[in-house]
Amino acid sequence: DAKTTQPPSMDCAEGRAANLPCNHSTISGNEYVYWYRQIHSQGPQYIIHGLKNNETNEMASLIITEDRKSSTLILPHATLRDTAVYYCISRRGSSNTGKLIFGQGTTLQVKP
Amino acid sequence: KAGVTQTPRYLIKTRGQQVTLSCSPISGHRSVSWYQQTPGQGLQFLFEYFSETQRNKGNFPGRFSGRQFSNSRSEMNVSTLELGDSALYLCASSLPSVEQYFGPGTRLTVT
């Protein structure tokens, strides 16, 4: 699974969009990009994943560049409850394993 | 649908003791993974069980072990506890090849 790189921390004003970048320049063709978040001392929560097309669900949008070397998670209207550590993880789509390799993630602080 | 449950939520043990943590996956999920989270090392994969068989193992000493039962419930055991084993232990369940659903964790303190 490819290594991912994220900024250690970001701030966002409440009500504004939060854009969290992730670099995965060594990603291979069959690796998906997954995003999880962890609110303080809780278990990580799945947000979204994608292969090469942009994806959107009720929580967020995922924009993957055409060369797939980077992606951006977008929280369209951040609230204080979105303050958390956000993890970007690459994982083979054919993987039949539950193993996830977490990096240090990005600590997002949403401010009033 | 009920989420992943872990028991106990908090635990205090002394060095040298052993501990058993329990995880009940989401109904229908057959894969259970365990993770250790510490401030210094972050989230680290311990092992994964699928259909009562260990399918993957992380880089942890043999003092860490686990098992899975026929109803997919899983336990992990840590023997001869050390101070460095103090951590949040997280369990996650999934169907194969899709997203993991994590439980709230067990906070283990070793004194």
Side-chain angles (χ1 to χ4, degrees):
Chain A
D1 297 335
K3 177 179 167 60
T4 61
T5 305
Q6 301 176 251
S9 64
M10 293 183 63
D11 289 344
C12 177
E14 188 178 19
R16 304 297 293 268
N19 297 283
L20 293 97
C22 179
N23 181 285
H24 32 79
S25 58
T26 62
I27 199 168
S28 60
N30 65 347
E31 287 186 67
Y32 284 72
V33 178
Y34 280 76
W35 284 84
Y36 286 78
R37 73 179 181 184
Q38 186 175 26
I39 296 170
H40 182 61
S41 293
Q42 297 181 22
Q45 176 190 24
Y46 164 81
I47 301 173
I48 198 167
H49 74 281
L51 182 63
K52 54 184 176 182
N53 297 319
N54 298 338
E55 302 287 346
T56 297
N57 63 20
E58 65 278 3
M59 287 183 67
S61 294
L62 175 61
I63 309 297
I64 303 174
T65 58
E66 194 168 339
D67 62 9
R68 301 208 329 116
K69 292 185 177 182
S70 65
S71 60
T72 301
L73 178 74
I74 301 172
L75 307 179
H77 305 286
T79 70
L80 298 179
R81 288 182 295 179
D82 292 322
T83 292
V85 179
Y86 288 76
Y87 297 98
C88 170
I89 299 167
S90 72
R91 184 161 172 260
R92 284 176 293 125
S94 60
S95 171
N96 200 29
T97 171
K99 178 179 180 180
L100 295 173
I101 300 174
F102 287 86
Q104 296 304 308
T106 296
T107 298
L108 175 68
Q109 182 73 47
V110 180
K111 299 186 174 182
Chain B
K1 186 187 274 192
V4 178
T5 58
Q6 293 187 245
T7 56
R9 293 293 311 280
Y10 302 91
L11 203 51
I12 300 175
K13 291 285 190 178
T14 56
R15 277 178 297 175
Q17 287 186 314
Q18 74 165 11
V19 68
T20 299
L21 311 182
S22 180
C23 172
S24 291
I26 291 172
S27 177
H29 287 190
R30 295 166 62 194
S31 169
V32 174
S33 299
W34 289 90
Y35 294 81
Q36 180 197 64
Q37 186 171 30
T38 60
Q41 299 298 318
L43 270 158
Q44 293 186 286
F45 174 79
L46 277 158
F47 30 65
E48 179 197 8
Y49 286 86
F50 179 78
S51 293
E52 303 177 64
T53 301
Q54 187 179 89
R55 186 159 67 174
N56 266 296
K57 190 177 190 305
N59 189 25
F60 279 82
R63 300 185 296 107
F64 292 81
S65 63
R67 60 178 176 168
Q68 187 179 32
F69 302 95
S70 58
N71 62 358
S72 294
R73 191 177 69 84
S74 177
E75 290 181 346
M76 68 162 282
N77 183 276
V78 188
S79 62
T80 320
L81 284 165
E82 300 176 0
L83 294 178
D85 297 332
S86 294
L88 180 67
Y89 289 89
L90 291 156
C91 161
S93 79
S94 72
L95 296 169
S97 304
V98 291
E99 62 269 21
Q100 302 278 297
Y101 291 87
F102 284 80
T106 294
R107 174 75 62 184
L108 172 65
T109 301
V110 182
T111 62

